[in-house]
Amino acid sequence: MDTSIPALPRPSLCRAVVVGGGTMGADVAVVLARAQAGVTVVEPAADRHDTIRERTRAGLAERGMAELAQKIQVVASLDAVAWEGVHLVIECIPESLPMKRKLFADLVGRAPAGALLASNSSSFPISEIAQGLDTRARMLGLHFFMPAHLIPLVEVVLGADSDVASGEHLAAFMRRCGMVPVLVRKDVPGFLGNRLQHALTREAFALIQEGVASAEDVDAAVRFGFGFRFLAAGPVMQRDHAGLDVHCAATATTYPSLSKADGPFPILTERVAAGKLGMKTGEGFYAWTPETMAAEKARYAALLRAGLALIEKELPPIEP
């Protein structure tokens, strides 16, 4: 197994490979190129190459960096990558454990011995993907949130065999890219962000299932209540604002009644069984038409950008 893993260079001196040119892969390429890293996107579907180029160019243009589009090239296969001198590989392929294992097994013989190998998987622990590979010390989770070029948070996840220093180096590198990295020191399901989200959504769906509130009112309670405050302070700091004694007393009465469900509620499984999957099928908890979907996506993106502008001064500066 690898024992000597060098630190990543500054982004402007870094050569990165993003495997998978879907929405996430393209946005990750934008994050890297903004910091002047050289990026090769590997996408087997040649008919998607122009779309990738257009999306990355647009993502850079949003920040007044359209000229950095030249930092990104798109190729059709791993064979087309100039592997010598690559420092970082980020996997953004579909959520299939066999596919990811096959890819990383292939990277053993392709990527330089000192390159960090990262997976953007939101479902599979890096320990499972790395199982049995000689490269597992330099394999890390690097989980972005969609849309990756707008959401500042990125999770750097250590597997059981991951080199801790490499995780710290990758976090420092992402900070230079203007992201807000968090180091997840245990490879638990859902990592950090998704565990917190699932804790919230479990209670949200429990309240809807039990008839306590409608989907619309649950969404409103989060967006215009405590969720609005999260832009200013996370849940732990908010407790310091309010007083730990107040929170401690509230837990005694609230915690016992919170949902302890260990699986999805019928309001979810019934919709999935009926093919009501949300925007992708035209109905979920809300009804969607092409027009309302387009309007909602535009509203959502505009608010994300407005929120990003509000916290911009608190974000790490890009340091090429």
Side-chain angles (χ1 to χ4, degrees), residues 100-111:
K100 292 179 187 293
R101 282 180 169 166
K102 183 176 183 297
L103 170 63
F104 280 95
D106 194 1
L107 291 175
V108 172
R110 293 181 183 271

Side-chain angles (χ1 to χ4, degrees), residues 20 28 45 64 70 75 136 138 140 149 167 169 203 228 243 250 269-270 292 295 319:
V28 169
Q70 63 181 337
V75 300
R136 59 189 182 276
R138 56 188 172 109
L140 301 153
H149 68 304
H169 293 324
E203 189 60 32
F228 180 69
T269 57
E270 290 168 1
T292 59
E319 298 179 3

Side-chain angles (χ1 to χ4, degrees), residues 10 18 57 94 200 271:
R10 298 178 66 91
V18 176
R57 192 178 298 111
L200 168 62
R271 281 174 169 78

Side-chain angles (χ1 to χ4, degrees), residues 47-189:
D47 59 346
R48 298 179 64 178
H49 287 192
D50 285 343
T51 300
I52 294 168
R53 293 186 184 97
E54 290 168 8
R55 184 174 181 87
T56 53
R57 192 178 298 111
L60 289 164
E62 285 182 14
R63 300 286 288 268
M65 299 177 173
E67 73 281 0
L68 293 179
Q70 63 181 337
K71 290 283 188 177
I72 302 172
Q73 63 171 322
V74 187
V75 300
S77 71
L78 295 176
D79 291 334
V81 175
W83 286 101
E84 186 178 356
V86 167
H87 303 96
L88 175 63
V89 181
I90 303 174
E91 169 267 307
C92 295
I93 66 175
E95 288 294 281
S96 162
L97 185 57
M99 287 178 63
K100 292 179 187 293
R101 282 180 169 166
K102 183 176 183 297
L103 170 63
F104 280 95
D106 194 1
L107 291 175
V108 172
R110 293 181 183 271
L116 293 186
L117 309 177
S119 172
N120 181 55
S121 176
S122 60
S123 306
F124 302 113
I126 193 64
S127 300
E128 288 190 24
I129 299 172
Q131 196 171 51
L133 296 179
D134 289 340
T135 50
R136 59 189 182 276
R138 56 188 172 109
M139 288 178 64
L140 301 153
L142 187 63
H143 180 230
F144 295 82
F145 293 80
M146 291 184 67
H149 68 304
L150 293 181
I151 305 298
L153 184 69
V154 62
E155 298 175 317
V156 178
V157 186
L158 298 176
D161 296 311
S162 298
D163 176 63
V164 176
S166 293
E168 293 169 346
H169 293 324
L170 184 54
F173 178 85
M174 294 312 304
R175 185 170 292 276
R176 285 184 180 274
C177 291
M179 300 293 285
V180 178
V182 292
L183 189 61
V184 184
R185 297 179 180 274
K186 293 185 178 181
D187 199 5
V188 294

